[in-house]
Amino acid sequence: MRETFRFPDHFLWGAATSAYQIEGHPHADGAGPSIWHRFANSPGRTMNAESGVIACDHYTRWADDVALMSQLGLNAYRFSISWSRILPTGVGAKNPGGIAFYDRLVDGLLARNITPNATLFHWDLPAALDDRGGWLNPDIADWFADYARVCFDALGDRVKMWATLNEPWVVTDGGYLHGALAPGHRNLFEAPLASINLMRAHGAAVKVYRAGGYDGRIGLVVNLEPKDAATDHPDDLEATRRADAYMNRQYLDPVFKKQWPAELRDVFGEAWPAHADDALDLIAQPIDFLGINYYTRSVTKNDDSALPVRAGVVRQPSHTYTETGWEVHPDSLTKLLLSVKAQYGDIPLYITENGAAFYDAPKAHDGRVEDPLRVRYLHAHLRAIHHAIAAGVDLRGYFAWSLLDNYEWSLGFSKRFGIVHVDYDTLERTPKASAHFYSGVIRSHGEVLAEPVPTAGSLLDAGLVTASPGA
Ligand code: BGC
């Protein structure tokens, strides 16, 4: 029987970005430097020494970008606020020029009936705070809470959906353990301290939101990656549990169960701080929603050389992988949503990021950018979330990563995740076939997902989308 697809009427259909990845002009109008400015300007840290100094020039082109969102039919937009635009040294004096930028953006979104969803921290820590120890300094919970209050006071009358942190796991794993991301440390003893302080900062900001009586909702955004054991061998099963604790439960258990996963003591050994439990009261503030960023799963096996988790990934030869080497596995998204509900209760969920980097063919003569692999990826993952909703998961929105091709951190501009192509010479935006497809899904409330995965031309031929979106 033909499957039917119909999403709830108030479902949020959005796309996501982050400040440093798209804005450019990081020091405009009085802003202070962030750790990403320093990192990208240090030798050997980013591909081709690329930085976000121009990125997508969204800082000046934001109004056109908002117009494009509206043309595509998006009713929500997830962006992040640059801490050092608001407070150039991370604490103390406010920067009116920085606040004014987000003011304009939020007003522009609301004028087009696009719900703003603001994230307070997407990796671009003020450099001045890094000088004081950054996420290793326990005072950062207070610094972050004070910054959050400034944002709530400035924008909270119009922004009703807030996330504290984006992906604390990536901040600690990439920033403090493996060093591929700013601030680029590689230290087993720092990673758990950074994690605990990130989560304390999250809890402190939630407390400020509650105490301030702001009218809206606040949550946390985590990246979750289901871990499937490669075999039934007890060593692989143990490794899978460790990997799941390290990457997923490390950030969920303290919030929802007021405990750290027991496996973390095994993973970090003597580096796991004796005082970790003292932070739990602050961390376990009730939140209004959980944002999940889903990109892939990993098939996991024991590997004693892969420190500190001692778990490795087994490549699946018959499966598709993205250009960043991530297995495409939409069924794991359905399973993940069901398992979050089973483990942590019926909290409202959003997919706050989902997408893929693929090689996109250059723009054709007729101006189209065909990205059939991304269309296929979106088609499968949107079906997967519908399956979860049909099975009773309270999923309230989906944000594609990303609205625009953008600065992919230490990979520079080498990986394109956008549903909208950006020409990095002219900065011209061109919606790809995937943007037209997504637009068709939104306009039909999901009904077009009943069709087999569309080919590029068929999207236009079937009249599901128009060559110029919104026409
Ligand atoms: C991050 C984004 C990043 C994306 C693709 C997510 O982990 O939130 O900033 O661009 O993954 O790597």
Side-chain angles (χ1 to χ4, degrees):
M1 209 179 79
R2 187 185 146 103
E3 223 183 327
T4 53
F5 291 86
R6 170 101 204 170
F7 282 80
D9 284 345
H10 299 292
F11 198 74
L12 291 189
W13 292 107
T17 62
S18 89
Y20 192 77
Q21 292 181 276
I22 65 162
E23 288 175 356
H25 314 275
H27 305 147
D29 302 325
S34 78
I35 55 172
W36 266 94
H37 169 71
R38 286 189 178 172
F39 191 75
N41 286 292
S42 300
R45 291 299 202 170
T46 66
M47 195 170 283
N48 303 320
E50 285 164 346
S51 78
V53 72
I54 298 172
C56 303
D57 188 30
H58 173 76
Y59 194 77
T60 59
R61 292 167 195 252
W62 64 270
D64 292 343
D65 290 337
V66 171
L68 181 57
M69 293 175 213
S70 169
Q71 286 161 15
L72 291 172
L74 305 189
N75 63 13
Y77 174 53
R78 174 172 178 252
F79 62 97
S80 79
I81 297 175
S82 157
W83 188 340
S84 54
R85 284 199 198 281
I86 305 293
L87 304 174
T89 59
V91 289
K94 296 183 224 171
N95 174 35
I99 295 174
F101 169 68
Y102 296 105
D103 245 332
R104 293 192 291 272
L105 175 64
V106 166
D107 286 345
L109 290 165
L110 291 173
R112 293 187 184 265
N113 292 319
I114 298 173
T115 300
N117 169 2
T119 298
L120 292 168
F121 177 71
H122 197 130
W123 308 358
D124 45 357
L125 187 72
L129 296 184
D130 193 48
D131 291 340
R132 299 166 72 180
W135 290 108
L136 303 175
N137 186 331
D139 290 347
I140 199 162
D142 294 331
W143 302 337
F144 186 67
D146 289 344
Y147 156 62
R149 186 181 295 106
V150 173
C151 293
F152 301 150
D153 285 344
L155 303 169
D157 56 334
R158 288 153 292 151
V159 175
K160 306 293 180 189
M161 189 175 181
W162 293 91
T164 53
L165 310 174
N166 179 70
E167 302 186 348
W169 179 80
V170 177
V171 178
T172 58
D173 184 84
Y176 291 89
L177 186 64
H178 289 108
L181 301 172
H185 301 193
R186 197 178 283 176
N187 188 319
L188 180 71
F189 285 76
E190 290 183 356
L193 293 179
S195 253
I196 293 167
N197 286 332
L198 277 153
M199 297 311 288
R200 289 177 56 250
H202 155 78
V206 174
K207 271 181 92 168
V208 163
Y209 197 70
R210 302 291 181 226
Y214 302 97
D215 162 35
R217 294 176 309 141
I218 188 159
L220 171 70
V221 171
V222 289
N223 56 304
L224 298 180
E225 186 176 298
K227 307 289 180 184
D228 295 332
T231 74
D232 288 340
H233 192 284
D235 289 352
D236 290 339
L237 295 173
E238 277 289 304
T240 304
R241 270 194 288 277
R242 282 195 302 276
D244 179 50
Y246 172 63
M247 191 161 175
N248 303 320
R249 284 182 281 121
Q250 183 172 185
Y251 303 94
L252 296 175
D253 285 11
V255 173
F256 295 111
K257 298 184 172 175
K258 213 177 173 180
Q259 66 187 31
W260 297 103
E263 295 89 342
L264 293 181
R265 287 176 184 81
D266 186 9
V267 168
F268 288 111
E270 58 178 325
W272 183 251
H275 65 263
D277 284 1
D278 298 351
L280 290 169
D281 276 342
L282 179 56
I283 297 173
Q285 306 300 315
I287 54 174
D288 302 315
F289 67 88
L290 179 70
I292 297 174
N293 295 351
Y294 173 80
Y295 288 93
T296 190
R297 62 132 181 199
S298 57
V299 178
T300 307
K301 66 160 193 246
N302 187 68
D303 177 354
D304 287 335
S305 71
L307 296 176
V309 188
R310 290 173 284 121
V313 178
V314 181
R315 209 176 151 86
Q316 306 299 297
S318 58
H319 288 183
T320 308
Y321 282 76
T322 69
E323 245 205 297
T324 45
W326 300 341
E327 183 187 351
V328 177
H329 208 266
D331 287 351
S332 287
L333 176 52
T334 315
K335 256 174 58 188
L336 168 67
L337 290 166
L338 287 164
S339 106
V340 167
K341 175 176 162 141
Q343 289 185 69
Y344 300 102
D346 214 0
I347 176 156
L349 301 178
Y350 293 84
I351 294 297
T352 33
E353 287 180 28
N354 175 239
F358 288 115
Y359 171 76
D360 300 332
K363 211 188 218 183
H365 292 306
D366 59 5
R368 296 190 206 173
V369 179
E370 304 292 3
D371 57 343
L373 292 175
R374 191 172 293 99
V375 171
R376 182 180 290 272
Y377 185 99
L378 287 181
H379 184 267
H381 286 80
L382 290 168
R383 281 186 171 208
I385 61 170
H386 194 270
H387 293 153
I389 294 171
V393 171
D394 186 6
L395 181 74
R396 301 192 181 180
Y398 174 91
F399 294 79
W401 184 270
S402 180
L403 176 71
L404 303 170
D405 287 336
N406 60 44
Y407 180 67
E408 181 54 22
W409 306 110
S410 45
L411 299 176
F413 295 98
S414 65
K415 302 285 177 264
R416 292 178 177 270
F417 278 87
I419 57 173
V420 173
H421 178 271
V422 176
D423 179 323
Y424 292 124
D425 294 324
T426 63
L427 296 165
E428 187 193 0
R429 278 78 161 134
T430 308
K432 304 178 190 177
S434 56
H436 295 303
F437 167 68
Y438 187 41
S439 188
V441 173
I442 298 171
R443 292 183 204 284
S444 71
H445 297 278
E447 274 172 32
V448 303
L449 293 169
E451 308 295 327
V453 65
T455 57
S458 75
L459 286 169
L460 293 153
D461 300 341
L464 288 174
V465 296
T466 50
S468 135

